[in-house]
Amino acid sequence: MSLSLLFAVSSWIASTASSVYKCDNGGTVVYSQFPCGDNQQVVTITPPPKMSTNEHADSTDNLKHQKTLEQVDLYVELEQIKREFEQLEGKRNRLMKQRDAKLDALMRKKQSANNNLAGAQWETSISEEMNAVSKSFDTDIKSLDARLDRLVEKIKAFKRP
């Protein structure tokens, strides 16, 4: 087993870098695998990194892959914006229904106050409460409308070339 390990290590070393001898034989430089005399130098040669045979095709594939990833990222971002838009729109609709329900209940109280002799002050109080409810809900609804408008602009920006 140690012999096979030694062979594997030596093969790896041979494939990654190798040493040769540089010799000067009377003005002529010669390279050899074996020692060649007194004036020899050991030179280590490292092979260049391996490249594919069709480097251009690889770079084109990488560009296509990168564009595909960018398209996927844009699609995911657009879907998140659409999802947020739907959630905000649902919240807006719920707020409007809650506001309308409270105003309807207050309107019924106000009509009941009209049938009562002491209802004038009560009617004024209910009117003030109706205004407060409207203002409270309208503020929240306007805030949601502004957020929805910003999301619509983002969605439009995605659809532009």
Side-chain angles (χ1 to χ4, degrees):
M1 182 166 165
S2 63
L3 185 59
S4 63
L5 179 63
L6 179 62
F7 179 75
V9 170
S10 65
S11 297
W12 177 75
I13 290 172
S15 69
T16 57
S18 58
S19 296
V20 293
Y21 296 95
K22 178 181 177 182
C23 305
D24 184 8
N25 289 338
T28 304
V29 176
V30 178
Y31 293 93
S32 173
Q33 294 175 329
F34 308 103
C36 52
D38 296 331
N39 56 357
Q40 68 188 13
Q41 292 177 332
V42 177
V43 178
T44 302
I45 299 173
T46 305
K50 292 184 180 180
M51 294 188 170
S52 67
T53 56
N54 194 350
E55 189 175 326
H56 178 69
D58 288 346
S59 65
T60 303
D61 288 344
N62 286 340
L63 286 175
K64 286 179 183 177
H65 181 69
Q66 184 177 358
K67 283 184 178 181
T68 302
L69 288 176
E70 288 171 1
Q71 289 173 341
V72 168
D73 288 343
L74 288 174
Y75 174 79
V76 168
E77 185 178 352
L78 179 60
E79 289 302 309
Q80 287 173 340
I81 291 171
K82 287 179 180 179
R83 191 173 307 115
E84 183 180 357
F85 181 87
E86 290 171 359
Q87 290 171 348
L88 290 175
E89 195 172 41
K91 185 175 182 178
R92 181 183 181 274
N93 290 338
R94 284 188 299 277
L95 282 174
M96 290 175 69
K97 285 180 183 178
Q98 289 174 359
R99 176 196 64 192
D100 293 345
K102 285 188 177 192
L103 290 176
D104 285 344
L106 290 170
M107 187 61 81
R108 285 191 298 276
K109 279 186 182 181
K110 192 173 181 180
Q111 288 172 351
S112 173
N114 286 337
N115 297 333
N116 192 334
L117 290 176
Q121 284 186 335
W122 193 31
E123 185 179 347
T124 304
S125 173
I126 292 172
S127 293
E128 290 172 1
E129 189 176 353
M130 288 175 75
N131 284 336
V133 167
S134 289
K135 284 182 183 179
S136 172
F137 276 95
D138 287 347
T139 301
D140 293 341
I141 291 170
K142 284 180 183 177
S143 173
L144 288 172
D145 284 341
R147 290 171 61 189
L148 288 167
D149 288 343
R150 284 192 299 270
L151 291 176
V152 166
E153 290 302 315
K154 282 185 179 181
I155 291 170
K156 286 180 182 176
F158 273 95
K159 294 182 180 178
R160 290 185 199 136

